[in-house]
Structures are given as structure tokens and as C-alpha cells.
Amino acid sequence: MSKLIMVLPATFWQIPIVNKIKKMGHKTLLVNLYEDSPAFKIADYHEVADILDKERCLEIAKKYNVDAIISEECDIAMPTIAYVAEKMGLPSLGIRCAALYTNKFLMREFSSQLNLPYVDYKLCKTPKDVEVFFDELKCNIIIKPLDSNSSHGVFKITAKEQIHEKFDETISFSKVEKVVLAERYIEGTEFTIDGLKTTEGHVTLAISEKRHYKHNINIANELFFSHYNDRFDYDELRRVNDAFVNYSKLPYGTLTHAEYKYKDGKYYLIEIGARGGGNLISAVIVPLMSGVDNYAYLVNSALGFKPDPVSISKDCRDRCCVLYFFDTPGTGGKVVKIEGEDFLNENAYIIDHAFNFKVGDTIQKAVSDSARIGYYIAYEETCEGLRKLMDEINNRVKIIYEE
């Protein structure tokens, strides 16, 4: 029987989950603040409203008498999802987990309670609070909003004067409470880990090793996915992440996306969300790397069904995949030509790509995750084969500026 599922928000990144819902035979109601929201075009119904306005979203849910409410690839929608679902008597991650999986301070507190690795941290209301923390540690720190996304307002602090330069911008991105989280900065390799909370516990479906832009170490430009890594113990990473999710009592059917840093033999949690990874990680890469239909699991769980257990397909265990973000050549400029896009379109192992600009636009170095100029997703059945394909893309695809 067809059901009506409410989805927040309605950006480009929600189009895959909307398409999945419709393919499963259900109808969709989308809510977002902007009338020209990309996913509105494929929705059965839509309403223009702020997804952070819980009462307004509840009014809309009651108006349409929705059967389920979900979000995907969006952290900031989760508190509203939990609130509306509770008021409507619908399945969801719950208000407590919505707070835990969006508030970075609560993530640190929970990690410390479980005796999982965590860095020194402090909740700061003023620049002076940050200065005291900086003086106590006598090392570099990082400041970040309490509950923002896309790396907005995240800065590495190496000198006191930088605190006053960056504090106001950082705190402006904190939503629930105007505070800043200050943490000891640790060097180390960064990882993402995507999974699914099932009826039998959390299952890891995809792990990536990250690389970052040279001009900004807080913005990733490559996520290389594999199930094994000769240099790092992925079983230990799975254990740490599973412990956090399982002890948090996150309900089954919830997708997860976490980021960790590896230092001195330990995996330190950077952040974790009760949603799939952005930039099509959950929509494209996780099914490709696992053979698991994670979106069907999410939708069925939100409708109150109890799905079967899942596991990674044997056919996927040696597969490797990459989410690569293009870099702006030099310092930027006015684009006159993009070379090699025909290769991106025609190669069967390059399954998606996009440029966030067109010929004639002026581009510059990315200042946040959402400001990256474009990406591609590619895979091969071996990691060696994928690296060769990446080299070929690098040689063929060029962005040419006006002289």
C-alpha cells in the first residue's frame, strides 16, 4: 500500500532518496525554505518552510497526515525529524539521539563515558574561554561550531590573535546554543566510516581514507574507499565506531556517517551523524561498496517495518571506490574551457561527476565543503586499477582560465 513520506530538506542531495521512495511505490512531501529547491520538482507535494522551525514542520506533517518522516545527508534536520515524529507517534531516531548525533560537545562527553579515545576539549562562550584553553594546552587547537555542518566556521588556531579573528565567525554557525567547541588539534590521517544500525546492531558498510586540500587542511578533496588497508587496522576502527553507535541505543533503520582521526595507534572521533554521508556517499558509494540497499532499509524502518539483517556482499569485498573533489588550478580565475569532460561521461567506471560552475564563471579556492568546485565518483574491482583510472582522469581533465 502506498504511503506518504515527509522528507527534509529538498536540496540536490535529497533527490536520490526521493527517487528511491517513489520507486518503492510511495509518495513524497518535501519541505524546504526556498521555492526553487531542486528536489521540489520530483516531489508529489511540497511546502515552503524553514526546516529548523519545528512547530511549522509539525503543522505541515499533520496537514498531510504523513506516514513517516525522514532526512538524508543533512545533520541540521535531525532535531526537527525527531520532534515531529514524536508528536505524530512515528518511528525516528528520537530526541535524545538527535541531540547526541548533532551536538559535538555531547559526542565528546559520550565518548569519554565509554572510555573511547577522545581529544582534550572545552565548551567556550567567549574568546577569553578559548584563550585559557589554549594557554593550558600549550599547543595548537581547533575551534568549531557546536552543531553546524560542511566545515563552516572550523579553524585551526596556532596563535592567540587568531582566536579573536575567527571566534565570531565560528560561533555564528552554532544553532541550538551560541557556544564554540575548542579541542586539542592532532595531526593524523583522517577516515570516514558509513554504516547502518540494524535489528542486530551496527553494521559498517564503507570506510574511506581521506586526503585534504593543501590550502585548507579542514576540507577533504579525496575519499578513497576500501574494506581493507595495509597501513591501518580497519577492524579496530569498526570496533570503536560500533561501540559508540550500539551503546547510544540508536534505533534500527538509521544510517550513520562518522569521521575519525588516527594518531599514535588510536582512532579519535571527530564527529558522527545519524544520516548517510553527503555528496552521494550514502546514495551511490555505500550500495556500490556493500551491495546493501541502505535506502530501502531506511524507508521501510521509518514506516515501522522490521527489515532483515544485512551484510556486505562477497562480490564487493575487494572493490575500491573514490569520491574525488576537483581543485582550482592556481589561485583561480575566469573559466574559458573544461577539457576531458567527454572522458568523464563515457567511461563506465566513472559513475557520476559534476562541476559546480560553467564556462564564463570565475572560480577560486574552496573555503568550505559546500564551496568545492566539483567532484567525480569512480570505482574499480581492485585498488591498483582505481589508482590507474584516477591518474588518467588527472591527465585528461583540465580547467583552463582566461589569460
Side-chain angles (χ1 to χ4, degrees):
M1 183 181 297
S2 178
K3 302 289 186 178
L4 178 58
I5 300 175
M6 185 174 179
V7 180
L8 310 182
T11 71
F12 172 82
W13 305 113
Q14 281 73 56
I15 289 176
I17 189 64
V18 174
N19 283 332
K20 182 64 178 183
I21 291 169
K22 293 169 75 71
K23 187 176 181 180
M24 294 173 69
H26 305 304
K27 293 185 177 181
T28 56
L29 163 65
L30 271 62
V31 178
N32 204 27
L33 188 57
Y34 308 104
E35 182 62 59
D36 61 349
S37 298
F40 278 173
K41 298 176 183 178
I42 60 171
D44 295 287
Y45 312 99
H46 74 266
E47 294 276 350
V48 176
D50 186 351
I51 65 169
L52 301 181
D53 186 340
K54 298 178 182 178
E55 295 300 335
R56 177 64 184 129
C57 289
L58 177 59
E59 288 177 6
I60 294 170
K62 288 181 175 179
K63 173 184 173 182
Y64 288 85
N65 192 27
V66 300
D67 298 296
I69 176 170
I70 63 174
S71 184
E72 174 50 3
E73 299 195 17
C74 181
D75 284 313
I76 61 175
M78 291 307 172
T80 300
I81 297 289
Y83 177 80
V84 173
E86 181 175 277
K87 295 295 183 181
M88 297 280 291
L90 302 173
S92 83
L93 73 166
I95 291 176
R96 185 190 70 84
C97 278
L100 174 60
Y101 282 83
T102 54
N103 185 310
K104 296 178 179 64
F105 176 73
L106 295 181
M107 295 175 200
R108 300 293 174 272
E109 295 281 275
F110 193 66
S111 292
S112 66
Q113 291 168 18
L114 296 178
N115 291 319
L116 298 175
Y118 64 92
V119 296
D120 297 309
Y121 62 95
K122 181 178 181 180
L123 205 58
C124 301
K125 296 183 177 180
T126 66
K128 182 62 177 178
D129 292 337
V130 181
E131 287 184 5
V132 171
F133 183 69
F134 185 81
D135 287 339
E136 288 174 350
L137 293 186
K138 295 181 174 59
C139 67
N140 296 335
I141 64 172
I142 192 165
I143 59 173
K144 58 183 68 173
L146 191 65
D147 52 0
S148 185
N149 57 355
S150 297
S151 299
H152 292 300
V154 178
F155 299 104
K156 180 181 178 181
I157 302 297
T158 61
K160 264 190 181 182
E161 55 268 22
Q162 295 173 329
I163 296 173
H164 291 271
E165 292 172 3
K166 303 297 186 182
F167 185 88
D168 288 345
E169 182 176 350
T170 298
I171 203 170
S172 70
F173 287 104
S174 290
K175 297 175 180 65
V176 174
E177 184 181 359
K178 289 302 177 183
V179 291
V180 163
L181 182 65
E183 300 177 344
R184 177 190 295 272
Y185 180 80
I186 57 172
E187 301 285 351
T189 305
E190 196 168 337
F191 301 87
T192 67
I193 178 167
D194 283 74
L196 174 64
K197 180 62 186 301
T198 74
T199 55
E200 298 184 343
H202 187 258
V203 177
T204 297
L205 301 177
I207 299 176
S208 82
E209 182 180 346
K210 296 177 72 172
R211 294 184 181 180
H212 299 78
Y213 288 117
K214 292 181 180 179
H215 75 274
N216 190 324
I217 59 172
N218 295 314
I219 306 175
N221 79 315
E222 178 186 306
L223 282 72
F224 194 93
F225 291 84
S226 62
H227 293 296
Y228 309 96
N229 192 316
D230 292 338
R231 295 175 295 118
F232 299 97
D233 185 351
Y234 277 4
D235 285 338
E236 174 63 11
L237 176 55
R238 292 182 186 99
R239 185 196 69 79
V240 171
N241 196 56
D242 286 347
F244 187 103
V245 176
N246 289 329
Y247 279 103
S248 74
K249 301 188 185 304
L250 191 69
Y252 73 84
T254 309
L255 308 187
T256 65
H257 173 79
E259 299 181 1
Y260 286 83
K261 261 191 176 180
Y262 181 84
K263 178 71 174 177
D264 297 331
K266 295 181 180 180
Y267 290 99
Y268 293 87
L269 177 66
I270 303 302
E271 61 181 304
I272 185 168
R275 47 85 178 174
N279 290 101
L280 303 179
I281 292 175
S282 57
V284 175
I285 295 176
V286 168
L288 184 68
M289 288 296 296
S290 66
V292 173
D293 193 342
N294 54 331
Y295 274 7
Y297 202 105
L298 168 65
V299 172
N300 285 328
S301 298
L303 289 170
F305 302 121
K306 194 172 183 180
D308 294 330
V310 302
S311 60
I312 294 174
S313 168
K314 292 181 180 179
D315 295 335
C316 299
R317 291 179 181 173
D318 293 324
R319 183 173 292 169
C320 294
C321 184
V322 68
L323 169 59
Y324 187 90
F325 295 93
F326 295 107
D327 196 2
T328 303
T331 57
K334 185 176 181 180
V335 179
V336 297
K337 186 178 181 182
I338 304 173
E339 294 182 348
E341 194 165 11
D342 55 340
F343 178 72
L344 296 175
N345 288 322
E346 295 167 4
N347 190 292
Y349 290 95
I350 303 171
I351 55 179
D352 193 46
H353 81 277
F355 291 103
N356 301 327
F357 63 91
K358 59 184 182 300
V359 172
D361 289 348
T362 298
I363 59 176
Q364 60 186 7
K365 293 289 188 183
V367 295
S368 68
D369 286 355
S370 58
R372 290 173 290 201
I373 63 170
Y375 69 90
Y376 69 80
I377 297 173
Y379 81 100
E380 276 279 4
E381 298 303 336
T382 67
C383 292
E384 181 182 3
L386 181 55
R387 287 295 184 191
K388 288 181 179 178
L389 176 57
M390 292 172 66
D391 288 341
E392 187 171 6
I393 296 171
N394 185 56
N395 291 329
R396 285 174 175 256
V397 180
K398 304 291 182 183
I399 300 169
I400 310 301
Y401 293 144
E402 179 181 73
E403 293 185 3

